[in-house]
Amino acid sequence: MYKKPKVFEELERLAELAPVAFYWTDTNAIIVGVNQNALKIVGDLSYQKDIIGKSPYEIYPAKTAIVIETNIKKVIEIGKTLSFEESVVDPTTGKMRYYTAIRSPLFEDDKIVGVVGTTIDITAEKEKERLKLENELQKIKLEEQRKFKKLVSQAAEDTKSNLAVLLVIVQQCSGLTRNEVFETIERLADDVPIGLYWFDENNGVVGANKQDTENTGATSITGYIGKTPYDYLPFEMADSIVKHCTLVMQTGKILSQEELFKDITTGETKCLNSFKAPLCDNTGKIIGALCTSIDITAEKDAERLKLENELQKIKIQEQERFAIIARGVAHDIRSPLMTLQTIVVRISKNLVEKDRIGLNSVTKSITDIANNLLNNFKKARSEVTIEVMEIQPILVSLELSKIASEKRHQYANSQAKIYDSYEPNSSFVFIKTDQSNFDRMISNLVNNAVDAFEGKKGKVDLKLSTENKHVKITIQDNGKGMPQEVIDKVMNNIAVTQDKKDGNGIGLAQVRGTLQLSKGNMLIDSKIGKGTKITLTFPITGEPDWIAHQVVLHKGDIVLVLDDDGSVHYAWDERFNDYKNIVNLIHFKSGKRAIDFINAKSKKHKIFLLSDFELIGSVTSFL
């Protein structure tokens, strides 16, 4: 019978007398009591009945609950008062609030019976920090805008004379007839220091001044009068000019664009920044366009050279990225290759079922790693290449069992022992992820755990459990442990630069990527000289359609076992031992004989086939 600790009774008596908010839990992090001041923080005094007797997982989202439960257990484990920064969603407003949580162990008869805690709301301080950061970012943004305006002003200074000439001449032509407009331009054009040319409403050349004629390399404008750009320029160049000129006359606006122009005398292609203004007669009808161009070939060449330099830098970076990928692949491929070497030694003696399965698993791992290398190399070559992930439900227990078996092969000749265990109700749960990346993630973490033994004796426990609609995978070793600064870097996505021999951080970038892909979380608990425990948490997903929840057998049904390994037949005999008087269990090692047997039976017989997914040396394919 449960006996309430006296310290809990004392807290209940004193709780409402205390001027601060506090609450207390038992050693399982179950809420035992909470005073009114604590309830006022959430703004709901009736909230007490909703939280007494509940765990953090029944009150908060899983991500928040994991943190709170972990912190409470840390206080119990250390036996000292600790403080933590935690964030909780306010149930009344739905907004995130931030607290400094201070928790102390509760003792009775020199034994910890629970934890008492109080919280200090630091939301306002956090908001001040956020606003301060926003102000700093705003200052940076304003400074960038100031620099940008300065660049724009400088550009305007360089071009305003050309634009001013266009505006002045167009103004001088205001209110004139068509003929008078072109005559006025002809009279004024040679007196300006910039090149000018003008078209009629059909994009035919009407005239150009001496400056423009010299810029194009022509000796006279006479030969171009009445012609369109299509008559003297390559089609693409002419088409760009004509379309732009037409747009100016259609919209009645001054427009600019970059144009390519071929120098008549040298054949050199120049890049021009062209400005065009519409010309109107005294009736307001648009009768043509007045144009000027600035030669920006030198600036464009400078931009081109700069771009080539940037592309060269990108190429070097691609090579560096590929080198990093190659090193990662070299790291990842080590495990399956070592396993393959171990199995090859055994093949010379006898190829049994477990070795064949192991060989298939290793071959798939090597293939996946090679594909990953190719995908990443393509991604490094072009930012528009997207690596396609196959996100689908996977049976977690099956993947962990497969990896554990592979690792036992890999480290068969070492002093490292690898165990896998599965809590009740965890053997048949699914998560959504990319299977290849998930397998690499677990493999990397197990390798890190073995490396922590530094060649000495050690044990790695790979465990699977479920909790509150989540899957929990723990990889725990009794190796040398990880320094706190390394853990902090890993949890904050900071690269860990230690060498492989240090056993820290290797492969964790891939782990983080897979967790993000699978909506998972990771916690690391490590003690120097004691070992490391890594907990991965994933949301459980629904079972795929192809899963059979049960297979119903009736008296007289035939169960046909097809496998080329005798030990498998023995195992199924043991499994069906209690059903010998109900079903007929028949064994075959040959696919052909099994097919002949099935064909010989009449349709009234119900046959359930339990078959190996591969039959070595068999030429029959029927599944």
Side-chain angles (χ1 to χ4, degrees), residues 443-616:
S443 177
N444 279 332
L445 293 175
V446 173
N447 289 343
N448 286 352
V450 173
D451 289 334
F453 304 145
E454 297 181 325
K456 301 174 184 177
K457 275 188 176 182
K459 180 179 74 168
V460 180
D461 286 314
L462 188 60
K463 297 181 180 179
L464 177 65
S465 61
T466 58
E467 188 174 273
N468 295 309
K469 298 182 180 180
H470 282 74
V471 171
K472 291 178 71 174
I473 301 170
T474 60
I475 299 96
Q476 186 168 5
D477 65 70
N478 57 352
K480 66 179 184 178
M482 295 171 63
Q484 187 59 44
E485 57 267 25
V486 173
I487 297 176
D488 292 340
K489 286 184 178 180
V490 171
M491 297 306 294
N492 288 283
N493 293 346
I494 300 174
V496 180
T497 57
Q498 278 88 342
D499 294 333
K500 177 69 175 176
K501 63 182 181 180
D502 291 331
N504 296 323
I506 304 299
L508 288 174
Q510 190 274 335
V511 172
R512 286 193 294 267
T514 303
L515 287 174
Q516 184 178 7
L517 180 75
S518 312
K519 299 181 180 179
N521 293 299
M522 176 173 66
L523 289 177
I524 301 177
D525 186 14
S526 186
K527 292 182 179 179
I528 299 297
K530 298 292 185 181
T532 300
K533 178 181 178 181
I534 295 180
T535 303
L536 308 176
T537 307
F538 303 90
I540 296 175
T541 190
E543 298 171 357
D545 296 338
W546 48 265
I547 288 296
H549 293 273
Q550 62 178 351
V551 176
V552 179
L553 298 175
H554 299 90
K555 188 174 181 63
D557 288 345
I558 297 172
V559 177
L560 191 154
V561 179
L562 173 60
D563 202 294
D564 55 357
D565 191 329
S567 62
V568 174
H569 292 279
Y570 175 78
W572 280 114
D573 276 334
E574 290 293 312
R575 183 68 181 85
F576 278 91
N577 188 53
D578 295 335
Y579 306 96
K580 287 183 178 179
N581 296 327
I582 299 176
V583 300
N584 299 317
L585 189 65
I586 301 175
H587 299 275
F588 285 99
K589 290 188 176 181
S590 164
K592 183 177 184 308
R593 291 184 179 181
I595 293 175
D596 291 342
F597 176 84
I598 294 172
N599 290 335
K601 290 293 180 181
S602 63
K603 293 184 178 180
K604 69 178 182 178
H605 289 96
K606 186 181 292 185
I607 300 175
F608 294 88
L609 177 63
L610 300 174
S611 177
D612 187 5
F613 68 88
E614 61 168 0
L615 295 170
I616 302 300

Side-chain angles (χ1 to χ4, degrees), residues 278-416:
L279 294 171
C280 301
D281 64 8
N282 57 341
T283 66
K285 179 182 177 182
I286 295 178
I287 59 172
L290 178 65
C291 314
T292 183
S293 297
I294 303 171
D295 191 342
I296 57 172
T297 307
E299 291 84 347
K300 281 295 179 180
D301 286 342
E303 288 181 10
R304 178 181 55 79
L305 291 174
K306 182 179 179 181
L307 178 60
E308 288 178 356
N309 289 335
E310 291 297 325
L311 291 175
Q312 184 65 24
K313 290 180 182 178
I314 292 172
K315 186 175 181 180
I316 293 172
Q317 290 172 355
E318 288 176 348
Q319 293 171 348
E320 291 173 351
R321 288 172 62 183
F322 180 74
I324 293 172
I325 294 168
R327 285 196 294 270
V329 171
H331 161 260
D332 290 337
I333 209 169
R334 187 199 64 170
S335 298
L337 283 179
M338 290 178 64
T339 306
L340 185 61
Q341 292 169 353
T342 303
I343 294 177
V344 168
V345 173
R346 295 185 180 182
I347 289 177
S348 60
K349 299 177 182 179
N350 183 26
L351 187 65
V352 296
E353 179 79 5
K354 63 179 181 179
D355 287 339
R356 191 161 63 246
I357 294 174
L359 185 59
N360 282 331
S361 176
V362 171
T363 303
K364 183 179 182 300
S365 295
I366 295 174
T367 302
D368 288 341
I369 292 168
N371 289 336
N372 187 67
L373 171 62
L374 290 175
N375 287 336
N376 277 283
F377 179 65
K378 291 176 180 177
K379 188 174 181 180
R381 292 288 301 274
S382 174
E383 290 301 324
V384 298
T385 301
I386 301 175
E387 184 178 353
V388 178
M389 300 291 184
E390 188 177 358
I391 307 300
Q392 60 182 0
I394 67 166
L395 183 59
V396 184
S397 59
L398 179 63
E399 294 304 310
L400 294 185
S401 175
K402 179 183 67 175
I403 295 169
S405 175
E406 178 183 323
K407 293 302 174 183
R408 282 192 282 270
H409 278 295
Q410 178 182 340
Y411 295 110
N413 298 324
S414 72
Q415 297 191 69

